[in-house]
Structure formats: C-alpha cells, structure tokens
Amino acid sequence: MDTTAWLVVAAVAALITLALAVVLLVRVFRARKLLMDAGVPLRSKALVWAAVIYTVSPVDLLPDPIYLDDIGLLLVALRSLHTAAAAAGVRPGKRADRPAADTRTGMKSLGGV
C-alpha cells in the first residue's frame, strides 16, 4: 500500500476512536443522576469526574490521535459508578430509596412510627 492509503486508514481509525470517546463521554454525563444520588459512594463519583477531566485535558499518557487511554479510563469510571450504584440499590434514572409520601396528607411516612 502506498502512503496515501496508510494515511486514510490512520485517519479513519482516529475518527472511530474519537467517536467512541465522545459516545462514552456522553454516557458519563448521562450518568450524572447517579452522581447526585446520596447512596452512591464518593469514591465512585470522584473517579467519574477524574475521568472526565482527564479526557478533556491536554495531558495524556498516549498521544492524542490514540484515544485508548481516555476510552479505557471512561469505561472504568462508568463501570465503577454503575457497580457502586447497584450495590447501593440505586438504579440509573432512579433516586435512592426515600420515604414514600402519603397521597392523602402529602406527608412522608416515617416507616411505621
């Protein structure tokens, strides 16, 4: 293959990895409801924000055309966040268990008290 073909292959590979990194970054931001939930440990929340900062920062372990380090860190952060949320009993899109409101009075129940 000539040089032009290699450059096209490299450009396509770079665009694919960039698209994957953007998709993962969007998923991290969609998981922000879990970041605001009190049932999810602070460690997992901090890992997600560290991954986001690392992804957008100009400092990388690998040069920027290769987004494998960014993608890997985002994957680890997402997995950690969802694992911690599942262990805490929180589902994505749902808040942690809160006392249910009594529909007649509009007041929260006190769990049998």
Side-chain angles (χ1 to χ4, degrees):
M1 287 177 38
D2 64 342
T3 306
T4 306
W6 281 112
L7 288 175
V8 169
V9 168
V12 168
L15 286 174
I16 289 171
T17 55
L18 176 62
L20 185 57
V22 168
V23 167
L24 286 173
L25 187 60
V26 167
R27 286 185 181 177
V28 167
F29 279 111
R30 282 187 181 165
R32 70 184 179 274
K33 289 179 184 173
L34 290 177
L35 292 173
M36 297 165 73
D37 200 300
V40 179
L42 180 61
R43 179 177 157 253
S44 297
K45 294 176 185 181
L47 181 61
V48 170
W49 287 115
V52 169
I53 290 169
Y54 180 79
T55 300
V56 298
S57 75
V59 178
D60 279 333
L61 293 175
L62 299 173
D64 263 343
I66 304 169
Y67 292 100
L68 295 177
D69 56 335
D70 299 329
I71 292 169
L73 190 56
L74 284 172
L75 284 172
V76 167
L78 278 174
R79 178 168 291 201
S80 171
L81 182 66
H82 286 285
T83 302
V90 179
R91 292 183 306 184
K94 302 285 183 186
R95 292 288 187 146
D97 292 336
R98 309 238 191 274
D102 186 356
T103 55
R104 291 173 284 146
T105 63
M107 300 187 69
K108 294 182 180 183
S109 72
L110 299 175
V113 175

